[in-house]
Amino acid sequence: GAGVSQTPSNKVTEKGKYVELRCDPISGHTALYWYRQSLGQGPEFLIYFQGTGAADDSGLPNDRFFAVRPEGSVSTLKIQRTERGDSAVYLCASSAQGDTQYFGPGTRLTVL
Amino acid sequence: SQQGEEDPQALSIQEGENATMNCSYKTSINNLQWYRQNSGRGLVHLILIRSNEREKHSGRLRVTLDTSKKSSSLLITASRAADTASYFCATDEKGAQKLVFGQGTRLTINP
């Protein structure tokens, strides 16, 4: 079946703008995760959804970052007033049983 | 912040040789997973080993886990050029669902 998909694959924006990143998880997966990866580093956890609710948002760096999953499937990561330091690859993953997390190809965000 | 450290940070070997990467972590875990990443994009899941397991095999991959030392190793046997990638270990702490990644090992297989 289809894997995790993320759109757009690349996003270039200007400092101060608002961006939305989309994740389509594997069908039937109840758990969805967002991570951020800076160049040369491993991914860092941002937020975890179980169903529609955010079960753990301890990784969100500040209140400019927000994520939703209104119907328990597709999720959108929203970043307000983007800063150059937000530039990174944003990865989404989903899992069925809370064990193996399957990752999408990521969205490369560049803030100019 | 990242929990683990991976060793070495970079490894370059000849095709056909075996590659060994190590990972250390800091807290009690439910399981440990290894992922591969090409060109800084999506991660491909390789293998999951649970905290009550000591060794696991999948094809040319062998993973060991030593919970007393809080360490794991990934062995790739008979390496191929296509194995060139970055390899990450990731742990999920007891009571949490999130994965905590190491900084990765960049593996280069020379033909």
Side-chain angles (χ1 to χ4, degrees):
Chain A
V4 178
S5 63
Q6 292 185 245
T7 55
S9 57
N10 288 283
K11 176 71 178 177
V12 180
T13 190
E14 293 180 344
K15 180 176 178 293
K17 299 290 188 182
Y18 168 82
V19 296
E20 290 189 352
L21 311 179
R22 177 187 167 108
C23 172
D24 281 87
I26 294 172
S27 178
H29 280 191
T30 57
L32 184 145
Y33 310 78
W34 284 98
Y35 295 82
R36 177 169 74 173
Q37 185 176 24
S38 300
L39 190 64
Q41 302 292 316
E44 292 189 311
F45 170 79
L46 295 176
I47 187 169
Y48 152 58
F49 286 90
Q50 182 62 46
T52 60
D56 182 354
D57 64 358
S58 61
L60 295 178
N62 52 59
D63 62 5
R64 295 187 298 106
F65 288 74
F66 189 71
V68 295
R69 194 186 185 200
E71 298 179 357
S73 178
V74 170
S75 175
T76 304
L77 178 65
K78 309 180 180 191
I79 310 174
Q80 298 177 322
R81 304 183 303 280
T82 52
E83 299 177 356
R84 292 193 179 88
D86 299 335
S87 295
V89 176
Y90 289 81
L91 296 163
C92 175
S94 70
S95 70
Q97 299 170 337
D99 283 344
T100 300
Q101 294 185 22
Y102 296 94
F103 282 78
T107 294
R108 184 180 301 279
L109 174 66
T110 302
V111 182
L112 301 177
Chain B
S1 63
Q2 294 175 302
Q3 168 171 215
E5 292 188 3
E6 295 183 64
D7 170 50
Q9 292 188 1
L11 178 63
S12 181
I13 61 174
Q14 294 300 119
E15 194 167 21
E17 294 180 339
N18 296 341
T20 299
M21 290 159 271
N22 303 295
C23 165
S24 61
Y25 58 92
K26 298 175 183 173
T27 64
S28 295
I29 61 172
N30 290 317
N31 59 59
L32 185 145
Q33 306 183 49
W34 284 89
Y35 288 85
R36 185 185 71 223
Q37 186 177 43
N38 292 86
S39 304
R41 298 306 290 259
L43 289 93
V44 175
H45 184 261
L46 297 176
I47 198 164
L48 179 152
I49 185 165
R50 300 192 186 283
S51 60
N52 62 354
E53 297 176 308
R54 292 297 166 257
E55 187 170 313
K56 203 161 183 181
H57 297 252
S58 177
R60 295 183 297 113
L61 307 180
R62 181 172 79 96
V63 168
T64 62
L65 179 64
D66 187 335
T67 54
S68 66
K69 296 181 180 179
K70 292 187 168 54
S71 67
S72 174
S73 67
L74 170 67
L75 168 68
I76 304 174
T77 60
S79 63
R80 305 169 181 168
D83 295 331
T84 294
S86 291
Y87 291 81
F88 294 91
C89 69
T91 54
D92 70 334
E93 299 170 11
K94 291 195 174 189
Q97 293 291 331
K98 63 185 180 183
L99 291 178
V100 180
F101 286 82
Q103 291 190 321
T105 293
R106 183 183 302 275
L107 175 65
T108 302
I109 309 298
N110 302 302

